[in-house]
């Protein structure tokens, strides 16, 4: 009997997913649990394994299409089995193409939105029932509310029933462009242009970054930190760590220093919920990982319970699983503080954007030998710039600088007994 391939639910709040790439084509032989297609959701990118061994007999949802979870996206059949055509459109029946919700839908539409969308609406005093949802079954998506807040209110959005559409337009003078406009018409030079749509992950990144800028009052503090002591410890201990199957990296030392400093400055590990400050008791450390398609931030859970060896292993594990698309939804949720490392590409420092709903993020610049003044003399030291981006709605400059001074001290005076 043919086996249906369905869009998996990659997390409790995930209602739909987008197929990024089919890794097999119709007619290919597949093994059970062999990677079959790649998806992206609001939470994570992942490769979906085949539910059975056999032949990929049908693909009903193409690359780039978004469907509801549990929709049929294809079929696995055994040799000689015939797949009935009537079964192929199941995905379409599961996920109707963005049809408007039925009349009297004020309350249902309020329910058809994610917690993130409702939080954005609450913080911006927006009534979700005034927004026409473009998601499955009229669901209001994050894109819908960000578009609404950005002022792009097309027909049926925002002002429906307000009487605005009945008002006569004011007379206006429309400027006529000069035939000798100094700005060249790019369409006349189309042979020099290449236009590609944004990838699904790039769209998600764009939405998250714009949302963060709109939400938090971003401020940054930069500290110059001496890593010479840490470099000495690394040289002495790296072979011991290698025998234990771990790499002793600068990131592990930085993570340990951050965790220890957070214990003394818990506001850095908090978040804002309306007028309330939510203090997180656990330190769930987000580690930004650069992929070919964009950036993802897997989380090391309960990082405050790990020693340096445990942190080294955990950071390497989430980074490797991110690059191989083996992360689960829970691997990218619940982070309380994030570290990003633009220095690995040579950047002296960066001004990172806060990973919502967190209130702070640490950027690590390139770690390299530099001439510095030591004891009134020029000396060569292993140095790096560390940048703290923080939400000034909750964290004052003095608090941020005290935290960074603590991190700097922890690194420059790292206790070898912790290694």
């Amino acid at each position: 009997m043919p086996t249906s391939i369905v869009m998996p639910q990659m997390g409790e709040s995930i209602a739909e997913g987008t197929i990024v790439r089919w890794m097999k084509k119709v007619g290919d032989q597949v093994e059970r649990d062999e990677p079959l297609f790649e998806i992206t959701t609001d939470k994570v990118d992942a490769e979906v394994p085949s539910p059975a061994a056999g032949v990929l007999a049908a693909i009903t949802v193409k690359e780039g299409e978004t469907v509801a979870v549990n929709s049929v996206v294809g079929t696995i059949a055994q040799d000689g089995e015939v797949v009935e055509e009537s079964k192929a459109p199941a995905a379409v029946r599961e996920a109707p193409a963005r049809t408007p919700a039925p009349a009297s839908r004020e309350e249902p539409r309020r329910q058809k939105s994610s917690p993130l969308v409702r939080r954005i609406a609450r913080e911006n005093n927006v009534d979700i029932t005034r927004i026409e949802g473009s998601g499955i079954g009229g669901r209001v998506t994050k894109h819908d509310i960000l578009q609404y807040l950005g002022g792009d209110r097309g027909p049926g959005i925002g002002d429906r029933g307000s009487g605005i559409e009945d008002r006569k337009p004011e007379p206006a003078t429309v400027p006529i462009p000069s035939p000798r406009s100094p700005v060249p018409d790019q369409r006349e030079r189309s042979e020099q242009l290449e236009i590609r749509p944004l990838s699904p992950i790039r769209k998600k990144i764009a939405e998250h970054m714009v949302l963060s800028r709109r939400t938090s009052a971003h401020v940054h503090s930069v500290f110059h930190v001496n890593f010479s002591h840490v470099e000495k410890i690394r040289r002495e201990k790296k072979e011991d760590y290698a025998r234990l199957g771990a790499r002793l990296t600068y990131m592990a030392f930085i993570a340990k220093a951050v965790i220890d400093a957070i214990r003394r400055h818990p506001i850095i590990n908090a978040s804002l919920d309306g007028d309330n400050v939510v203090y997180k008791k656990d330190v769930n450390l987000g580690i930004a990982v650069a992929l070919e398609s964009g950036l993802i931030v897997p989380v090391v859970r309960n990082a405050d319970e790990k020693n340096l060896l445990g942190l080294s292993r955990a950071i390497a594990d989430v980074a490797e699983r991110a690059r191989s698309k083996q992360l689960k939804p829970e691997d990218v949720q619940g982070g309380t503080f994030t570290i990003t490392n633009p220095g690995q590409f040579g950047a002296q420092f960066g001004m990172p954007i806060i990973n919502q709903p967190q209130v702070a993020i640490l950027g690590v610049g390139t770690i390299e030998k530099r001439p510095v003044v030591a004891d009134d003399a020029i000396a060569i030291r292993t140095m790096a710039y560390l940048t703290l981006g923080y939400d000034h709605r909750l964290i004052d400059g003095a608090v941020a600088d005290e935290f960074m001074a603590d991190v700097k001290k922890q690194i420059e005076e790292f206790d070898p007994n912790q290694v």
Side-chain angles (χ1 to χ4, degrees), residues 234-253:
R234 283 186 69 240
R235 287 198 306 267
E236 294 173 350
K237 299 291 186 177
K238 66 180 181 180
E239 291 185 3
D240 293 341
Y241 270 58
R243 282 192 290 270
L244 295 171
R247 290 182 61 226
L248 186 55
T249 64
Y250 287 117
M251 182 59 72
F253 286 94

Side-chain angles (χ1 to χ4, degrees), residues 191-298:
E191 71 279 359
Q192 300 182 27
L193 301 177
E194 181 179 0
I195 300 175
R196 296 182 181 179
L198 283 175
S199 66
I201 192 172
R202 270 266 64 93
K203 289 180 182 178
K204 297 293 188 297
I205 291 172
E207 291 173 359
H208 289 312
M209 296 301 97
V210 171
L211 170 64
S212 184
R213 279 295 191 186
R214 285 176 173 163
T215 301
S216 297
H218 280 70
V219 184
H220 295 84
S221 291
V222 182
F223 275 59
H224 206 192
V225 180
N226 188 343
F227 278 80
S228 299
H229 179 56
V230 163
E231 171 60 20
K232 180 175 180 293
I233 296 174
R234 283 186 69 240
R235 287 198 306 267
E236 294 173 350
K237 299 291 186 177
K238 66 180 181 180
E239 291 185 3
D240 293 341
Y241 270 58
R243 282 192 290 270
L244 295 171
R247 290 182 61 226
L248 186 55
T249 64
Y250 287 117
M251 182 59 72
F253 286 94
I254 295 168
K256 189 69 172 69
V258 164
I259 292 165
D260 290 346
I262 282 175
R263 290 195 180 101
R264 290 180 285 274
H265 308 274
I267 194 70
I268 302 295
N269 200 52
S271 65
L272 272 173
D273 184 10
D275 293 331
N276 298 318
V277 181
V278 181
Y279 288 89
K280 311 294 178 63
K281 298 300 184 182
D282 299 323
V283 179
N284 296 328
L285 198 62
I287 303 293
V289 178
L291 308 176
E292 289 184 6
S293 56
L295 191 75
I296 195 166
V297 186

Side-chain angles (χ1 to χ4, degrees), residues 42-45 201 205 208-209 251 284-291 294-301 314-315 317-319 321-323 327-341 352-358 360-362:
D42 278 342
K43 300 295 184 185
V44 69
D45 289 357
I201 192 172
I205 291 172
H208 289 312
M209 296 301 97
M251 182 59 72
N284 296 328
L285 198 62
I287 303 293
V289 178
L291 308 176
L295 191 75
I296 195 166
V297 186
V299 175
V300 175
R301 294 194 171 279
I315 291 170
D317 172 63
V318 295
R321 287 193 289 119
R323 296 186 182 101
L327 293 175
K328 299 176 181 178
E330 56 267 27
D331 291 328
V332 293
Q333 297 175 359
T336 59
F337 185 91
T338 294
I339 301 176
T340 183
N341 184 18
I353 296 176
I354 297 167
N355 188 14
Q356 297 295 325
Q358 300 166 28
I361 182 171
L362 185 75

Side-chain angles (χ1 to χ4, degrees), residues 84-97:
E84 298 179 14
E85 292 186 5
S86 60
K87 294 184 179 181
V92 179
R93 291 197 297 268
E94 289 277 355

